[in-house]
Amino acid sequence: MQVILAQPRGFCAGVTRAIDIVDRALAIHGAPVHVFHEIVHNQWVVDDLRTRGAVFVDALDDVPANAVVVFSAHGVSRQVVAHAKARGLHAIDATCPLVSKVHQQAQRFVRQGRTLLMIGHAGHEEVVGTVGQVDAPVHLVSHTADVDTLDLPGDAPVAYVTQTTLSLDDTREIIAALHARFPGIVGPEVDGICYATQNRQVAVRALAARVDLVLVVGARNSSNSNRLREVAERSGVPARLVQDEHEIDPAWLRGAPRVGVTSGASTPELLVQRVVAALAALHPDPLTPVVQLPGVREEVSFRLPAELALP
């Protein structure tokens, strides 16, 4: 068996920044530091921060008055920000800057008097937060079929924004359908949505062309990890999402002499290496040397909030 690794994979700059924010908040303010929702969608990361004093909550009313609370990388609504202020909480915003960019786009389109469409998945924290950033109705579009059901005239002044962790192929199809129905629609180009989403999907497509099976290491509630699995499957190879090495089914490896491994943007590299080690343990013969495919070298980094910056 040969194991081939995708490049790039794993943590993106937004995830790294969000985790660093919780780390710095713990160092400066001491435990506990409360975090509104999972800081990123990965249980290993959440559990690790929990052992160091982070307390994860799904309701701000569960945070003691005047305590420190960190908003997750997915972003929050204006209502959540106002609620935290009303309760006297010391709020630190870990929203990914690329998600904040979507918020700004949405607000600008609404100020222009356009009806806003959001391309994304219902209930995802990023979608909830973005919709809650504007004081106007927002129409959610999750599939191309949703375009035809929009109760809007074709000449309506409309604009769209997108969730940052979607399948680029699906998003292009939806945007094409929107342009066909609303010729005057405006919105961001797909390639400008999120560099990490694009890079990882391009990389997994290249990986799928070289292997017999793709393993995506990531949480089941991670949108970007699920999209990586879908992209690999659309490339014509079986693909499985595993949270860690314990979820590998040896039956998947039969007839798969070349196994590709990648990971979602919220998955630590430690879990990838554990999966590689487990593959070696499951194979009766020694593995050939692990190969990492060439790919984009990401050098993006985002600054921490000023109050947490290192001196």
Side-chain angles (χ1 to χ4, degrees), residues 143-196:
H143 309 281
T144 54
D146 297 335
V147 175
D148 292 331
T149 65
L150 292 169
D151 188 16
L152 297 167
D155 60 352
V158 294
Y160 68 85
V161 293
T162 79
Q163 183 181 333
T164 61
T165 54
L166 300 176
S167 160
L168 297 181
D169 292 337
D170 287 346
T171 305
R172 286 191 184 96
E173 291 177 3
I174 292 172
I175 291 174
L178 288 172
H179 275 285
R181 176 151 182 216
F182 306 104
I185 195 169
V186 296
E189 296 295 326
V190 176
D191 292 349
I193 295 170
C194 172
Y195 80 94

Side-chain angles (χ1 to χ4, degrees), residues 4 6 12 20 24 38 53 60 62 66 71 74 85 98 117 124 130 154 169 180 190 206 211 215-216 230 236 240 265:
I4 302 176
C12 63
D20 287 348
R24 288 290 296 153
E38 292 185 347
L60 286 183
D62 294 333
N66 304 313
F71 298 145
H74 309 102
K85 184 177 181 179
L98 296 181
L117 312 178
H124 190 279
T130 300
D169 292 337
V190 176
V211 300
L215 298 180
V216 178
E230 291 172 1
R240 304 284 185 170

Side-chain angles (χ1 to χ4, degrees), residues 21-94:
I21 284 174
V22 179
D23 279 333
R24 288 290 296 153
L26 285 166
I28 293 171
H29 299 286
V33 165
H34 291 76
V35 183
F36 184 61
H37 297 322
E38 292 185 347
I39 188 67
V40 297
H41 284 159
N42 186 275
Q43 193 61 49
W44 190 94
V45 171
V46 169
D47 289 343
D48 179 60
L49 290 172
R50 186 178 281 122
T51 64
R52 289 186 271 147
V55 177
F56 294 88
V57 299
D58 288 321
L60 286 183
D61 287 338
D62 294 333
V63 181
N66 304 313
V68 175
V69 63
V70 177
F71 298 145
S72 80
H74 309 102
V76 297
S77 67
R78 287 177 172 177
Q79 183 180 9
V80 169
V81 174
H83 189 188
K85 184 177 181 179
R87 296 200 59 242
L89 303 180
H90 180 175
I92 302 173
D93 191 1

Side-chain angles (χ1 to χ4, degrees), residues 232-246:
E233 287 180 337
R234 288 181 180 179
S235 299
V237 298
R240 304 284 185 170
L241 180 68
V242 296
Q243 298 195 113
D244 56 33
E245 71 275 18
H246 302 296

